[in-house]
Amino acid sequence: MAFRARHSPCPVACTLDVLGDRWSLLIVRELAIRPSRYSDLREGLPNIATNLLADRLRELTAAGIVQRTEAPPPIATTIYEL
């Protein structure tokens, strides 16, 4: 999903360009509950394809909605949070 150009001065229209996708909204819902690992998101969204989850996380991160942080050892995993 490529984000459309944001030509509208309406903030609601611009937000829907980013969050209007079903899976994007569900990912945000999961992250609103708690920061999560990729595997936690897969458990919370059992019907999403792995490539679709990765794409949506990448797009939400690029839009500044989701933050990706690396947890220090011994955990050494990526954590996603709003």
Side-chain angles (χ1 to χ4, degrees):
M1 171 179 97
F3 294 122
R4 291 175 270 169
R6 292 173 184 83
H7 297 296
S8 174
C10 176
V12 173
C14 291
T15 302
L16 284 174
D17 282 345
V18 176
L19 293 177
D21 177 72
R22 170 187 177 209
W23 289 113
S24 296
L25 286 171
L26 291 173
I27 291 167
V28 168
R29 180 199 68 187
E30 290 296 312
L31 294 176
I33 297 168
R34 68 186 176 287
S36 300
R37 299 173 299 174
Y38 186 89
S39 59
D40 297 333
L41 291 169
R42 288 273 306 144
E43 283 181 29
L45 303 167
N47 295 326
I48 191 170
T50 57
N51 63 325
L52 191 57
L53 177 58
D55 288 346
R56 295 303 183 265
L57 284 171
R58 194 174 311 113
E59 291 166 357
L60 291 169
T61 301
I65 296 167
V66 171
Q67 180 179 358
R68 178 184 166 154
T69 56
E70 300 295 327
I75 298 169
T77 190
T78 302
I79 304 292
Y80 296 94
E81 59 189 325
L82 294 179

